[in-house]
């Protein structure tokens, strides 16, 4: 139909207006085939259904196959130059704008926000090897009822309607600007809080673990750079001069006189813009203070406030295509421009994620990735290193603003597509993943995002190895780490070997994705230990669960010999489910109509299938997620059916919650029983806690009494030893009367073992541990005074017999006589 419309338009224009026909053909070659959003999603559904309805082909682990000769630097190939040339031919001349601004204006004016625009000099299959953009394949896949809930449908719809580079982006995105040296610290702190809120919202909708980053730069002479670096004033203004050639490294020492000419002619790149955000509704633009006075540019060096450094250092790892050079520039150059050293050690190159996801196309340029992933041309018209980026963000023309925001949006959407593509390969079943992690979907998705960052950070594609790759394993082995000298190592990192292990027997989304539930669940359980070998600090405790017989029973639903099943069998379903039951399972799946279920028929259905009630019903619930609520409503309306299914009530509701991330219907009779049982347990625990508090109070009282008695016992011991050592010369007939009386216990209970009625009464309420009573203190003071009167003094070791022999009779008789009768002392 599209072709007939094109031919009809060609015939009419050529026969009536030949000049308009030539203009139309030029514009048509630039604009190309337009495919509406509805047609794209429909084509994606047909593609997935066709791929799954046939036996699995070979190379099911390749997401994007190679199509040589389509993308490249040639004049007849698709690249940035040919796109800009075609746009320039149809652009309206404007002498007040640069050529780049004119080209951007032409692309944005002719493009559509939601439509795919493909060049006409190539077939659709050549431009997009999969036939449909990967983004639309992801959209069609996420429509299925048993997939992950991230990204949510509103976000997917929003990305679909904004995929194209249009000027509507400038109105949709709120940009907060920071100019170093001009923006006050209070405003930067406010922007910091605003950014944290935006990142929290993005993370709640779709955890990616990374943040898109876009940097622009300009060239200055090495002489000017050294002048900026050497400036020590709080605010230094350095004039910028022209430059002719580039230098690859920054000298750390001042150049000698014979190198002065080289210093004035060589140039380096310095950052002038740092943008980060999702590009859909928010972004932050950071600009260095570069002024233009009378045709000359000046760099105003000002020490950045600590609030700005805190803002950048709290951000997640950055991501973009070919981000390594930008990070190196920020890491090495910005300290000389007035910024403290940034903590940007962790970043993710989008090129690495693309290769990990199964990209085998030999061209990984931004143009190729944009057409194959989104179906639209990229908007990298102005080089990211240009003098045009020197003014602040607000002072830039709207065409340049559009390029910057489109770059952020493009990175966010492309990262989302390949994140979903990898996730649906490795962990396609959210139920078993959340079961193993004992969590809901958001926590599991957060783990997945951090695992992706941990696996891909610091890895880069070695082009020489990737160019020779003919399989996905060879492509993955082209991912290498950076050595101490800055070059890529040849050895395959351990992280890549783990990825290779967990990708065994996987099927990419472009080949229809995974097919059979039981096979994928068993594979995820087997990979659980591999994930545990890559510990992530905040998720270490989530992998403590051992793969027990109970876990395997739930993963297989009591099916056996699952690993021997053929995973390439064609799928026969209505397209609403992602993972289905294999036709060759040893035990049949329960055939259950929840709208007509009766309590008498349920045992018969389970018996005919030779299944256990629990595993059979949970298997049915996992395969028919949308029917779980219908079944639970039937249980709510039938008391006998609810009583029959009470053992599987909570497990079935958890299956529904782990897949849909929503709560299932409640059965009132079962909920009342659960609430009553839990309330009884709660009351028992409260009573037990009160009893423990009373017991603790009683023990404290007993301990206090024991301590008081121990003090008085020591005094009695000392008194008796003194009376015993004095021996003859004293009247010992009434020595008990003068001894300190024993301590009498309080109402906490008797000294002896066993409980008295008073003790049992005391245990009904907490008792505070009392101090020693006033009466006991007075009795103790009377005895201490009496002891001092007889000359005992402080508690010291008893004198030996030789020391007391000469004074015992005289001193004791005279002192005791002055005390009077022992009856004056308190009795025991």
């Amino acid at each position: 139909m599209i072709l007939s419309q094109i031919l009809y338009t060609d015939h009419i224009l050529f026969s009536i207006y030949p000049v308009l026909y030539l203009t139309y053909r030029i514009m048509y070659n630039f604009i190309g085939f337009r495919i509406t959003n509805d047609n794209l999603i429909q084509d994606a559904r047909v593609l997935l259904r066709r791929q799954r309805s046939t036996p699995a082909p070979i190379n099911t682990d390749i997401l994007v196959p190679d199509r040589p000769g389509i993308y490249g630097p040639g004049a007849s190939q698709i690249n940035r130059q040919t796109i800009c040339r075609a746009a320039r031919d149809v652009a309206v001349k404007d002498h007040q704008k640069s050529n780049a601004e004119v080209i951007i204006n032409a692309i944005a004016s002719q493009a559509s926000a939601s439509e795919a625009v493909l060049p006409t000099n190539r077939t659709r299959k050549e431009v997009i090897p999969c036939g449909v953009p990967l983004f639309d394949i992801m959209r069609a896949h996420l429509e299925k009822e048993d997939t992950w809930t991230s990204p949510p449908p509103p976000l997917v719809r929003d990305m679909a309607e904004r995929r194209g580079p249009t000027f509507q982006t400038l109105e949709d995105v709120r940009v907060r600007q920071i100019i170093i040296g001009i923006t006050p610290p209070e405003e930067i702190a406010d922007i910091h809080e605003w950014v944290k809120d935006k990142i929290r919202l993005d993370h709640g909708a779709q955890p990616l673990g990374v943040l898109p980053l876009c940097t622009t730069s300009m060239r200055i002479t090495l002489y000017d750079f050294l002048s900026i670096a050497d400036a020590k004033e709080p605010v230094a203004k350095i004039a910028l001069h022209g430059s002719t050639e580039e230098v690859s490294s920054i000298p750390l020492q001042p150049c000698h006189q014979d190198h002065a000419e080289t210093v004035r002619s060589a140039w380096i790149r310095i950052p002038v813009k740092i943008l980060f955000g999702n590009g859909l509704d928010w972004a932050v633009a950071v600009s260095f203070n570069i002024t233009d006075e009378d045709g000359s540019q000046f760099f105003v060096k000002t020490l950045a406030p600590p609030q700005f450094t805190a803002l950048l250092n709290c951000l997640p790892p950055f991501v973009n295509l070919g981000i390594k050079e930008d990070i190196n520039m920020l890491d090495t150059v910005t300290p000389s421009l007035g910024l403290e050293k940034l903590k940007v050690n962790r970043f993710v190159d989008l090129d690495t994620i693309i290769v990990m996801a199964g990209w085998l196309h030999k061209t990984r340029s931004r143009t190729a990735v944009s057409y194959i992933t989104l179906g639209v041309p990229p908007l990298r018209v102005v080089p990211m290193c240009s003098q045009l980026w020197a003014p602040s963000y607000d002072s830039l023309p709207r065409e340049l603003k559009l390029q910057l925001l489109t770059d952020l949006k493009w990175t966010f959407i492309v990262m989302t597509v390949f994140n979903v593509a990898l996730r649906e390969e490795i962990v396609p079943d959210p139920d078993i993943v959340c079961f193993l992690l004992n969590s809901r979907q958001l926590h599991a998705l957060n783990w997945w995002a951090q695992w992706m960052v941990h696996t891909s950070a610091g890895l880069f594609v070695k082009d020489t190895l990737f160019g020779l790759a003919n399989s996905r394993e060879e492509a993955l082995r082209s991912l290498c780490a950076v050595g101490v000298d800055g070059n890529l190592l040849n050895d395959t990192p351990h992280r890549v070997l783990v990825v290779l292990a967990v990708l065994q027997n996987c099927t990419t989304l472009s080949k229809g994705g995974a097919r059979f539930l039981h096979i994928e669940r068993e594979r995820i359980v087997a990979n659980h230990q591999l994930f545990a070998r890559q510990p992530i600090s905040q998720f270490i405790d989530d992998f403590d669960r051992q793969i027990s017989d109970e876990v395997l029973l739930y993963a297989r639903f009591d099916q056996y010999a699952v690993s021997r099943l053929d995973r390439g069998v064609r799928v026969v379903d209505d397209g609403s489910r992602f993972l289905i039951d294999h036709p060759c399972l040893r035990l049949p799946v329960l055939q259950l109509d929840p709208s007509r279920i009766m309590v008498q028929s349920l045992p018969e259905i389970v018996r005919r299938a030779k299944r256990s009630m629990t595993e059979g019903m949970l298997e049915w619930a996992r395969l028919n997620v949308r029917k779980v609520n219908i079944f639970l409503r039937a249980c709510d309306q039938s008391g006998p059916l609810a009583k029959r299914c009470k053992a599987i009530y909570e497990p079935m509701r958890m299956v529904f919650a782990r897949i849909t991330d929503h709560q299932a219907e409640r059965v009132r009779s079962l909920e009342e029983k659960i609430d009553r049982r839990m309330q009884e347990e709660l009351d028992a625990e409260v009573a037990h806690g009160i009893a423990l508090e009373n017991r603790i109070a009683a023990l404290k009282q007993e301990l206090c009494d024991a301590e008081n008695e121990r003090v008085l016992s020591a005094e009695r011991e000392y008194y008796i030893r003194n009376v015993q050592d004095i021996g003859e010369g004293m009247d010992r007939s009434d020595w008990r009367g003068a001894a300190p009386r024993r301590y009498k216990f309080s109402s906490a209970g008797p000294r002896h073992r066993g409980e008295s009625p008073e003790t049992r009464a005391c245990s009904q309420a907490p008792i505070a541990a009392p101090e020693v009573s006033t009466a006991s203190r007075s009795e103790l003071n009377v005895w201490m005074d009496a002891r001092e009167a007889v000359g005992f003094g402080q508690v010291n070791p008893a004198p030996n017999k030789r020391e007391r022999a000469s004074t015992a009779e005289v001193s004791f008789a005279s002192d005791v006589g002055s005390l009077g009768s022992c009856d004056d002392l308190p009795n025991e």
Side-chain angles (χ1 to χ4, degrees):
M1 181 177 179
I2 296 177
L3 182 60
S4 62
Q5 291 178 354
I6 294 171
L7 294 177
Y8 177 76
T9 307
D10 283 358
H11 174 71
I12 296 298
L13 287 177
F14 182 73
S15 60
I16 301 177
Y17 302 107
V19 177
L20 290 179
Y21 171 77
L22 295 177
T23 304
Y24 165 76
R25 289 306 303 172
I26 293 175
M27 293 181 63
Y28 180 72
N29 285 330
F30 160 58
I31 298 175
F33 288 113
R34 285 178 175 271
I35 310 175
T36 63
N37 204 11
D38 294 336
N39 289 337
L40 287 171
I41 188 64
Q42 186 63 31
D43 293 345
R45 293 169 186 156
V46 172
L47 173 67
L48 290 179
R49 191 177 298 113
R50 184 177 66 248
Q51 292 282 12
R52 293 167 64 85
S53 62
T54 58
I58 60 174
N59 298 329
T60 58
D61 60 341
I62 296 177
L63 181 67
V64 180
D66 187 24
R67 291 290 186 272
I70 306 301
Y71 298 96
S76 62
Q77 296 175 322
I78 304 175
N79 52 55
R80 185 173 68 90
Q81 288 75 19
T82 56
I83 295 174
C84 293
R85 191 181 306 115
R88 186 180 57 203
D89 293 338
V90 300
V92 178
K93 303 299 180 182
D94 189 348
H95 298 288
Q96 296 181 354
K97 296 182 179 180
S98 63
N99 291 333
E101 296 174 20
V102 171
I103 294 173
I104 293 177
N105 189 58
I107 296 176
S109 300
Q110 300 296 334
S112 173
S114 60
E115 295 180 342
V117 181
L118 306 179
T120 58
N121 58 348
R122 298 287 183 178
T123 65
R124 178 172 173 177
K125 194 68 175 179
E126 289 177 334
V127 178
I128 307 176
C130 306
V132 182
L134 297 177
F135 174 74
D136 297 289
I137 296 177
M138 179 197 74
R139 291 171 58 198
H141 170 75
L142 293 176
E143 289 179 344
K144 299 183 181 298
E145 64 183 25
D146 57 346
T147 59
W148 293 86
T149 59
S150 175
L155 179 59
V156 175
R157 186 167 52 252
D158 192 21
M159 290 188 292
E161 294 174 354
R162 301 187 192 182
R163 73 172 80 191
T166 62
F167 285 107
Q168 182 65 30
T169 303
L170 300 179
E171 301 179 8
D172 296 337
V173 182
R174 183 188 179 187
V175 181
R176 301 288 297 270
Q177 181 181 206
I178 297 176
I179 302 178
I180 298 176
I182 296 180
T183 305
E186 296 79 11
E187 184 176 352
I188 297 177
D190 179 67
I191 294 175
H192 187 178
E193 297 299 323
W194 180 74
V195 168
K196 289 196 297 185
D197 292 339
K198 290 296 182 180
I199 293 177
R200 191 180 302 112
L201 290 175
D202 289 347
H203 178 81
Q206 178 193 207
L208 284 179
V210 291
L211 185 66
L213 172 73
C214 175
T215 61
T216 63
S217 59
M218 62 177 291
R219 300 188 305 177
I220 66 172
T221 63
L222 187 57
Y223 176 83
D224 293 339
F225 176 78
L226 294 177
S227 300
I228 296 172
D230 293 339
K232 304 300 182 183
E233 298 84 359
V235 178
K237 192 174 183 180
I238 297 94
L240 303 180
H241 304 83
S243 54
T244 57
E245 59 181 286
E246 183 180 5
V247 294
S248 58
S249 61
I250 301 173
L252 300 180
Q253 301 295 334
C255 297
H256 298 289
Q257 186 65 30
D258 54 352
H259 295 155
E261 188 64 28
T262 303
V263 170
R264 291 184 178 275
S265 60
W267 60 267
I268 64 171
R269 290 195 310 144
I270 63 169
V272 292
K273 294 282 183 300
I274 304 174
L275 275 83
F276 54 87
N278 62 13
L280 291 175
D281 56 5
W282 73 277
V284 174
V286 180
S287 303
F288 288 89
N289 190 5
I290 300 176
T291 61
D292 193 347
E293 301 177 7
D294 299 331
S296 300
Q297 287 183 330
F298 294 86
F299 186 95
V300 182
K301 180 182 179 180
T302 308
L303 184 63
Q307 290 83 355
F308 176 73
T309 306
L311 168 61
L312 290 187
N313 289 341
C314 79
L315 298 176
F318 295 124
V319 63
N320 207 325
L321 188 64
I323 195 176
K324 181 182 176 182
E325 295 300 327
D326 295 336
I327 295 297
N328 289 339
M329 178 178 61
L330 293 177
D331 194 34
T332 57
V333 175
T334 51
S336 301
L337 303 181
L339 298 183
E340 296 182 9
K341 189 174 181 62
L342 304 179
K343 298 177 182 178
V344 290
N345 298 325
R346 296 189 67 194
F347 58 92
V348 176
D349 195 335
L350 190 56
D351 194 19
T352 303
I353 301 294
I354 290 173
V355 173
M356 286 178 58
W359 183 286
L360 213 63
H361 202 290
K362 299 305 179 185
T363 304
R364 308 187 312 278
S365 64
R366 187 174 293 268
T367 302
V369 174
S370 185
Y371 273 121
I372 295 174
T373 306
L374 302 178
V376 297
L379 200 64
R380 276 282 183 102
V381 177
V382 180
M384 303 308 284
C385 179
S386 173
Q387 306 298 116
L388 297 175
W389 303 114
S392 63
Y393 177 82
D394 288 342
S395 302
L396 291 175
R398 68 170 191 158
E399 290 81 6
L400 299 188
K401 292 180 181 179
L402 178 61
Q403 177 172 330
L404 293 176
L405 296 181
T406 302
D407 191 279
L408 291 178
K409 177 181 65 176
W410 182 90
T411 304
F412 182 79
I413 298 177
V414 172
M415 180 65 192
T416 299
V417 171
F418 287 99
N419 175 66
V420 172
L422 261 176
R423 184 189 69 202
E424 298 301 326
E425 271 192 280
I426 299 177
V427 285
D429 182 23
D431 175 52
I432 191 62
V433 175
C434 294
F435 175 79
L436 292 172
L437 298 179
N438 194 23
S439 67
R440 298 293 292 270
Q441 274 207 27
L442 181 60
H443 184 79
L445 289 168
N446 189 24
W447 160 78
W448 169 257
Q450 295 302 322
W451 183 83
M452 285 278 294
V453 173
H454 176 77
T455 303
S456 58
L459 297 181
F460 304 95
V461 181
K462 197 166 187 177
D463 293 329
T464 55
L465 297 178
F466 184 81
L468 301 175
N470 294 318
S471 64
R472 187 173 184 180
E473 180 179 354
E474 295 176 353
L476 281 169
R477 291 186 180 275
S478 67
L479 299 177
C480 303
V482 180
V484 179
D485 56 354
N487 297 323
L488 295 179
L489 303 176
N490 293 323
D491 298 335
T492 303
H494 175 71
R495 292 175 287 169
V496 177
L497 298 179
V498 174
V499 175
L500 284 171
V502 299
L503 281 173
Q504 293 294 324
N505 301 320
C506 288
T507 304
T508 61
L509 286 184
S510 62
K511 299 297 190 297
R515 301 190 176 192
F516 301 111
L517 175 67
H518 301 79
I519 297 176
E520 298 302 324
R521 289 170 70 93
E522 186 164 287
R523 185 177 60 83
I524 293 173
V525 171
N527 289 336
H528 183 75
Q529 300 301 325
L530 292 176
F531 291 130
R533 295 176 187 175
Q534 282 187 304
I536 303 174
S537 57
Q538 61 266 41
F539 299 100
I540 292 179
D541 296 338
D542 296 328
F543 289 88
D544 289 341
R545 169 171 282 184
Q546 300 296 324
I547 306 303
S548 60
D549 294 339
E550 179 185 357
V551 173
L552 293 176
L553 181 65
Y554 180 72
R556 298 169 178 168
F557 296 120
D558 205 19
Q559 299 281 359
Y560 55 96
V562 174
S563 58
R564 301 177 184 177
L565 300 176
D566 182 9
R567 63 181 64 246
V569 178
R570 62 189 296 267
V571 172
V572 180
D573 68 334
D574 57 358
S576 63
R577 294 186 297 170
F578 175 38
L579 298 174
I580 68 171
D581 53 302
H582 199 281
C584 299
L585 288 174
R586 300 298 179 89
L587 298 176
V589 178
L590 298 182
Q591 300 300 319
L592 182 66
D593 185 359
S595 60
R596 300 180 180 179
I597 190 67
M598 299 178 62
V599 65
Q600 299 86 356
S601 60
L602 182 59
E604 180 63 21
I605 294 174
V606 175
R607 187 189 61 79
R608 284 201 306 265
K610 299 180 180 180
R611 303 294 304 274
S612 65
M613 180 73 171
T614 302
E615 281 71 32
M617 289 300 297
L618 292 181
E619 182 184 52
W620 174 87
R622 174 59 188 87
L623 291 169
N624 302 273
V625 180
R626 298 303 176 187
K627 296 181 180 180
V628 170
N629 278 336
I630 302 176
F631 177 79
L632 293 178
R633 281 194 291 268
C635 292
D636 189 40
Q637 297 171 1
S638 173
L641 181 61
K643 184 177 181 181
R644 182 74 180 180
C645 300
K646 63 180 181 180
I648 62 171
Y649 173 63
E650 275 299 300
M652 185 178 291
R653 295 187 73 252
M654 289 304 300
V655 170
F656 184 88
R658 285 193 288 259
I659 297 177
T660 64
D661 209 28
H662 292 86
Q663 292 294 331
E665 296 281 346
R666 296 178 180 271
V667 178
R668 286 169 293 181
S669 59
L670 297 180
E671 288 291 333
E672 291 175 358
K673 291 182 179 180
I674 293 174
D675 292 340
R676 183 168 58 253
R677 188 181 306 115
M678 294 180 64
Q679 187 62 42
E680 292 174 355
E681 291 293 332
L682 178 61
D683 294 342
E685 289 299 325
V686 170
H688 184 60
I690 293 176
L692 290 176
E693 290 180 359
N694 293 335
R695 180 60 178 162
I696 292 173
L699 292 175
K700 288 182 179 180
Q701 178 65 57
E702 186 175 350
L703 177 62
C704 180
D705 293 342
E707 290 178 349
N708 293 334
E709 185 181 15
R710 181 68 185 92
V711 173
L712 295 179
S713 177
E715 299 294 344
R716 288 174 59 84
E717 177 186 355
Y718 179 76
Y719 169 79
I720 294 172
R721 286 184 182 277
N722 279 277
V723 173
Q724 184 181 22
D725 290 342
I726 292 175
E728 298 178 358
M730 67 170 292
D731 185 5
R732 292 176 291 180
S733 60
D734 194 24
W735 65 271
R736 293 178 178 272
R741 66 172 52 193
R742 289 178 177 173
Y743 181 72
K744 291 184 178 180
F745 278 82
S746 63
S747 60
R751 294 178 53 194
H752 307 291
R753 295 192 176 185
E755 285 189 329
S756 66
E758 292 81 6
T759 305
R760 288 192 296 270
C762 179
S763 63
Q764 300 301 320
I767 301 175
E771 300 290 339
V772 180
S773 63
T774 305
S776 299
R777 293 181 185 274
S778 61
E779 294 170 0
L780 180 61
N781 292 336
V782 170
W783 181 82
M784 291 295 292
D785 295 338
R787 190 186 60 177
E788 293 178 359
V790 297
F792 288 159
Q794 297 180 351
V795 180
N796 294 320
N800 55 41
K801 293 183 179 181
R802 185 170 297 179
E803 291 176 340
R804 66 174 180 261
S806 59
T807 60
E809 295 83 357
V810 178
S811 61
F812 184 80
S814 59
D815 291 336
V816 172
S818 63
L819 288 176
S821 174
C822 292
D823 296 334
D824 297 336
L825 294 178
N827 295 324
E828 184 178 0

